[in-house]
Amino acid sequence: MAHLLVVESWVGSMSRLLPRALAEDGHDFTFLTRDLRHYLRSAPEGAGHPLLDARALVTAPTNDIDALLPLAERLHTALRFDGVLTSCDYYLPAAARIAARLGLPGPSAEAVENACRKDATRRVLAAAGVPGPRFAVCTDEAGALRAARDIGYPLVAKPVDLCAGMFVRRVDDEAQLAEACRALAAFPLNARGQRRDPHILLEEYLTGPEVSVETVTYAGRVRVVGVTDKSVGGDRAFIETGHMFPAGLTPEQTAAATRTAVRAGEALGLDDVVAHTEIKLTADGPRVVEVNPRPAGNRITELVRHVTGIDLAAACVDVALGREPDLRPRETGLRSAAVAFLVPDTAGVLAGVDGAAGLRDADGVLEVQLAEPGTEVRAADSNNGYLGHVMAGDTDGLGARDRVTALLAGVRPRLVRA
């Protein structure tokens, strides 16, 4: 049995999946957080709160790496850790630096930092010849307006250090670009109280279907677990409305996407890591959207497990411990699994969800999660605004997406004025 140091986490699905993986393998964990109140809310999906399984809960300055590293050393002396991990994007670099400081397994801190910073990712991949969009990194609105003239409209404006699609916008003209820049400037801290980098990343707008490649790299060897597709909604935002695993691609498309994802991970120097690399399949070939050095969110990790039996959360634990993960596919009876998200387009207070009765008993349904009445609702502008999801599988082929799409089509949130 191993003992892991977990540095912060999400409060969504991975807050259940990671403790489950630890418990199933008989591991203990100590949880490090700067603000325990962030996690003191209803347990995810009706389960017992995952932090109840922690060996210890420690309040620590997780946003101050200079103070955090010596504290981690003192804790290591007292508690003896075998690995360090996190499921929160904002703390992936810190976890890598702690592991290096303690002499524990883990990816290179520099590689993780470059993967987590979208501008650094662009520079590293461009230098290595890995295909991506034309881009510019700008320090202010005036610089962005000048750079946009070179790239050309439409383009994508995004922060360099946020996740879940926050503030990622398609911009079609100077007025929309100015609006996007000002919105970012008015958001100086992320959800964890970390001061944001003010740089703005502009990218060529890419057309074509988007997929993600799920990989596990251990001791220099990359294993491709599979490719997931993505559907995107929203007006100028890029809101993920659903996923299916495996993606319905041709063998040639699958091979091209996986080659590009592997090249991206190698260029960044990622090793001993589970990665989720997003790829746009353009008419000119695959282009890297971003590289995430952690298991996929938005229920993709569960789609993979339902179809292949491979638990990417468990693989994340294994590589953090310096152990080779078990990536052997198992027969599950499913040939595809898909999830569709309930995305609100208006604001109010949730009075109920019409059409939800009997949803859990529908053919092939694996999960249903819906927000409770009384939830305050805003029109979604990122992946943080969902009101729930439906997940279903197909035993015969790639019919899971059509199944969840049809199921969700009959569901409507009923809102009242706030």
Side-chain angles (χ1 to χ4, degrees), residues 342 350 352-356 370 387 405 407-415:
L342 186 59
L350 185 66
V353 180
D354 296 332
L370 298 171
L387 289 180
T405 300
L407 288 169
L408 204 63
V411 174
R412 290 287 184 274
R414 182 165 25 92
L415 303 180

Side-chain angles (χ1 to χ4, degrees), residues 33-367:
T33 178
R34 61 184 285 271
D35 183 7
L36 188 59
R37 293 171 300 176
H38 189 81
Y39 303 93
L40 298 181
R41 57 186 72 182
S42 59
E45 302 171 31
H49 200 291
L51 292 185
L52 292 174
D53 294 328
R55 181 192 291 188
L57 301 174
V58 180
T59 301
T62 52
N63 286 353
D64 183 349
I65 193 64
D66 292 332
L68 185 60
L69 290 174
L71 173 62
E73 284 187 311
R74 293 194 296 273
L75 288 172
H76 185 48
T77 299
L79 300 175
R80 305 309 301 177
F81 304 118
D82 301 296
V84 184
L85 51 75
T86 183
S87 64
C88 179
D89 292 48
Y90 299 137
Y91 296 98
L92 289 165
R97 291 186 65 179
I98 291 171
R101 181 75 164 253
L102 303 185
L104 296 175
S108 153
E110 179 183 10
V112 171
E113 288 165 1
N114 284 338
C116 289
R117 283 278 305 229
K118 295 178 176 63
D119 53 342
T121 299
R122 284 279 167 253
R123 292 186 179 108
V124 170
L125 298 190
V130 180
R134 291 180 293 118
F135 70 96
V137 182
C138 311
T139 57
D140 54 26
E141 181 182 327
L145 291 170
R146 289 193 300 270
R149 297 184 193 111
D150 292 330
I151 297 175
Y153 294 100
L155 51 77
V156 178
K158 60 177 66 174
V160 299
D161 55 1
L162 290 176
C163 54
M166 292 184 67
F167 293 95
V168 180
R169 296 291 181 269
R170 170 178 164 146
V171 294
D172 296 320
D173 54 38
E174 289 192 349
Q176 290 181 356
L177 179 55
E179 177 188 1
C181 291
R182 290 166 193 166
L184 269 177
F187 193 75
L189 303 177
N190 67 24
R192 298 309 181 95
Q194 297 169 333
R195 184 156 295 279
R196 291 194 48 256
D197 188 291
H199 284 88
I200 305 157
L201 179 61
L202 301 185
E203 297 178 348
E204 169 192 8
Y205 181 77
L206 301 174
T207 59
E210 187 170 335
V211 299
S212 63
V213 181
E214 323 308 335
T215 57
V216 180
T217 306
Y218 171 74
R221 183 188 177 199
V222 184
R223 291 281 304 276
V224 176
V225 176
V227 180
T228 312
D229 76 8
K230 175 190 297 188
S231 56
V232 178
D235 182 11
R236 293 189 294 115
F238 296 82
I239 302 171
E240 296 176 6
T241 59
H243 303 279
M244 185 174 74
F245 182 91
L249 303 178
T250 67
E252 293 76 18
Q253 288 174 316
T254 299
T258 55
R259 279 197 305 270
T260 302
V262 170
R263 286 184 61 196
E266 290 173 344
L268 287 162
L270 290 172
D271 195 5
D272 298 324
V273 71
V274 178
H276 166 72
T277 303
E278 297 175 357
I279 303 285
K280 199 82 165 178
L281 300 175
T282 76
D284 297 320
R287 298 290 183 266
V288 175
V289 175
E290 63 184 44
V291 181
N292 300 281
R294 43 79 177 162
N298 258 4
R299 311 305 290 168
I300 292 173
T301 295
E302 284 295 83
L303 299 181
V304 172
R305 186 179 65 85
H306 279 301
V307 174
T308 69
I310 296 171
D311 188 338
L312 290 173
C316 185
V317 173
D318 285 334
V319 295
L321 292 170
R323 301 175 180 177
E324 184 172 4
D326 183 1
L327 300 177
R328 293 172 296 177
R330 298 166 180 80
E331 180 56 52
T332 67
L334 292 181
R335 295 296 171 262
S336 66
V339 62
F341 299 101
L342 186 59
V343 182
D345 56 9
T346 57
V349 175
L350 185 66
V353 180
D354 296 332
L359 204 55
R360 288 178 170 84
D361 298 324
D363 184 39
V365 167
L366 301 168
E367 291 181 8

Side-chain angles (χ1 to χ4, degrees), residues 396-412:
D396 297 324
L398 300 178
R401 172 179 288 286
D402 290 342
R403 184 165 295 174
V404 293
T405 300
L407 288 169
L408 204 63
V411 174
R412 290 287 184 274

